[in-house]
Amino acid sequence: MPELEDSTAKTKAAFDPNILQDLLPLYYKRLFPHKQFYRWMSYGRSESSIFSNREFSFTLQNDVYIRYQSFETQQELEREICSRAPFKIDIGAVYNIRPKDHRGSVAIQPVQRELVFDIDMTDYDDIRTCCNEANVCQLCWKFMSIACRVLDEALREDFGFEHLLWVFSGRRGIHCWVSDKSARHLDTAARSAIAQYLNVLISGGEGTASRVIIHDEMHHSVKRAYHIVAPLFEEICLVDQDMFSKPEGVKKLLALVQDQTIRTELEKRFKAGPSDSKSVWQEFVAYFEELRMSGNINRYRRYRFIVEEVILAFTYPRLDINVTKGFNHLLKSPFCVHPKTGKVCIPFNPNTASKFDPTDVPTVIDLLKEVNVFDEKNTVE
């Protein structure tokens, strides 16, 4: 085993992806939860061929990609994982035949699949100011934290799902696996319907913030989401991200108001007052309160929910709905090691997601160092 540097400091040294090939064999042999992984994927063998007809894919060194793998037993899967030491394991659908036989005479068709959700931090790049691209810190993680709460409550309360697994992707995103039997057997149309139901954001186009449109009444699911995100809007958007203190942030705020006359009036008021985010937001809210009090019902009607729309536009979960819609979409397995960061894709509790620190997730180096310490201690004893 390669010598492991001390990585116990809070600020971890940058991970060197070149050493991953030397670390993975021991990780898979000593630490990967093969038994628990098999129990999840087999669902107690409650349905015929549910494990043997499941597709797994491996990404090996130098981006060698192997699809349509399937296994009969836990031992066979474990042996293959330990032998190949894949840089990434993806989980696919359960098919009507064994995926390894997909070149045979019977056409391969997916028959069941967990309902999955994928949220990527890069989809918040147009509004977060602390990081960009693949970088994530504790400030922008708050967007992920409230996304967990919003989606978890919607999936449980609106659809009655119970078995949800939330996983940190190892770098910049989160995945949710809904494993209820009723969810696994949803067809493509039903998955699309659920994805659309939960996706209240309307794309604003390149360079502008996505918008939310509330018509005569706020839907109960949107109302529940609003009650989750509204108390955190000031902390996240006005303080942590300080979204409206620069002209580009103000431009995105104004873009959510469709009336050119109102946008012009707001812009004048913003320029006349303090330019910090809190003051800009207070002026925005005050303007529409004055419009409500003016008695101009026709002008105000369209902007009755403008404050709620803006808060939701900047805080509501940004789903990659194509992942959810796809019946046979492959998604990274929990407990993989991210090849760029070395971090393990660990599950977390959505109810305590606000306490989760993505910058302090254990790396494969951290874990194998603990194995070394354990082995040395037991050797001495």
Side-chain angles (χ1 to χ4, degrees):
M1 176 181 170
E3 184 175 345
L4 302 173
E5 298 180 359
D6 188 350
S7 58
T8 56
K10 179 68 175 178
T11 302
K12 299 180 180 179
F15 177 75
D16 180 5
N18 295 317
I19 67 172
L20 190 59
Q21 60 182 318
D22 300 319
L23 304 179
L24 284 175
L26 185 59
Y27 171 76
Y28 283 125
K29 181 180 180 180
R30 296 288 299 274
L31 295 172
F32 190 85
H34 295 282
K35 182 178 180 181
Q36 292 82 358
F37 184 69
Y38 170 78
R39 287 181 63 188
W40 174 35
M41 289 286 95
S42 63
Y43 292 97
R45 290 194 175 273
S46 57
E47 299 173 64
S48 175
S49 303
I50 192 170
F51 181 75
S52 60
N53 287 10
R54 168 80 71 170
E55 179 188 5
F56 297 93
S57 77
F58 291 169
T59 303
L60 309 181
Q61 189 177 3
N62 299 322
D63 290 329
V64 175
Y65 188 51
I66 308 174
R67 276 201 68 178
Y68 298 113
Q69 297 188 97
S70 56
F71 307 93
E72 298 297 318
T73 65
Q74 174 195 329
Q75 291 74 22
E76 186 182 347
L77 173 60
E78 182 174 346
R79 188 164 56 247
E80 192 72 3
I81 289 176
C82 291
S83 171
R84 290 186 177 272
F87 278 45
K88 188 174 71 155
I89 302 171
D90 285 304
I91 301 172
V94 177
Y95 287 89
N96 58 323
I97 60 173
R98 288 168 174 77
K100 62 185 177 183
D101 299 330
H102 71 283
R103 296 186 186 278
S105 59
V106 179
I108 187 169
Q109 297 290 337
V111 295
Q112 64 167 287
R113 170 81 164 103
E114 290 80 11
L115 181 66
V116 293
F117 295 89
D118 181 13
I119 307 176
D120 196 310
M121 200 71 248
T122 55
D123 289 329
Y124 292 80
D125 280 355
D126 65 319
I127 57 173
R128 61 175 176 156
T129 58
C130 56
C131 303
N132 61 7
E133 298 180 347
N135 300 304
V136 180
C137 69
Q138 286 178 279
L139 294 182
C140 53
W141 174 259
K142 292 178 183 180
F143 287 114
M144 293 294 191
S145 173
I146 57 178
C148 289
R149 288 182 57 193
V150 168
L151 289 178
D152 197 79
E153 290 195 21
L155 290 167
R156 293 180 189 277
E157 295 183 19
D158 295 348
F159 297 98
F161 297 134
E162 298 177 353
H163 304 290
L164 280 63
L165 176 66
W166 289 91
V167 182
F168 174 59
S169 71
R171 192 180 195 184
R172 63 189 180 199
I174 55 176
H175 302 151
C176 177
W177 300 75
V178 185
S179 300
D180 300 56
K181 183 176 180 179
S182 59
R184 301 198 312 268
H185 285 273
L186 291 169
D187 61 17
T188 301
R191 292 166 192 267
S192 296
I194 291 174
Q196 295 292 354
Y197 175 88
L198 294 170
N199 188 45
V200 305
L201 293 173
I202 301 171
S203 176
E206 187 69 28
T208 61
S210 298
R211 68 174 70 248
V212 174
I213 297 178
I214 302 171
H215 297 286
D216 294 333
E217 188 175 349
M218 194 183 295
H219 187 275
H220 73 271
S221 182
V222 177
K223 186 180 295 185
R224 181 181 55 240
Y226 177 75
H227 288 317
I228 291 172
V229 303
L232 298 167
F233 175 77
E234 180 176 330
E235 173 190 337
I236 296 173
C237 297
L238 306 185
V239 178
D240 292 347
Q241 302 300 328
D242 195 15
M243 288 182 181
F244 309 136
S245 63
K246 295 182 178 180
E248 55 265 31
V250 172
K251 182 179 178 181
K252 288 171 183 174
L253 174 61
L254 290 172
L256 298 178
V257 179
Q258 295 179 307
D259 187 298
Q260 179 60 51
T261 302
I262 292 179
R263 285 203 302 269
T264 302
E265 292 174 1
L266 281 168
E267 195 168 10
K268 289 179 180 178
R269 291 176 67 149
F270 293 161
K271 289 179 179 178
S275 60
D276 63 284
S277 291
K278 281 189 177 181
S279 297
V280 170
W281 178 246
Q282 288 169 359
E283 195 65 51
F284 183 89
V285 174
Y287 177 90
F288 287 101
E289 177 60 18
E290 291 171 14
L291 186 60
R292 184 183 72 84
M293 297 295 290
S294 69
N296 189 336
I297 297 175
N298 290 332
R299 195 180 188 202
Y300 174 72
R301 184 181 291 115
R302 167 62 190 89
Y303 296 101
R304 177 185 171 193
F305 292 110
I306 186 64
V307 171
E308 291 86 349
E309 289 175 353
V310 171
I311 289 174
L312 287 164
F314 285 110
T315 57
Y316 192 84
R318 300 183 169 210
L319 300 172
D320 183 345
I321 62 172
N322 290 323
V323 172
T324 304
K325 289 178 177 181
F327 204 160
N328 57 350
H329 187 92
L330 290 154
L331 192 63
K332 187 194 307 176
S333 168
F335 299 106
C336 280
V337 176
H338 195 287
K340 300 293 186 183
T341 65
K343 293 178 180 178
V344 179
C345 304
I346 56 173
F348 63 91
N349 185 342
N351 296 320
T352 56
S354 60
K355 298 178 182 178
F356 184 88
D357 183 355
T359 66
D360 198 34
V361 169
T363 67
V364 63
I365 293 178
D366 297 329
L367 296 176
L368 293 182
K369 184 173 182 292
E370 291 183 16
V371 170
N372 275 352
V373 172
F374 176 83
D375 288 347
E376 290 171 3
K377 180 181 178 182
N378 280 273
T379 300
V380 171
E381 294 177 354

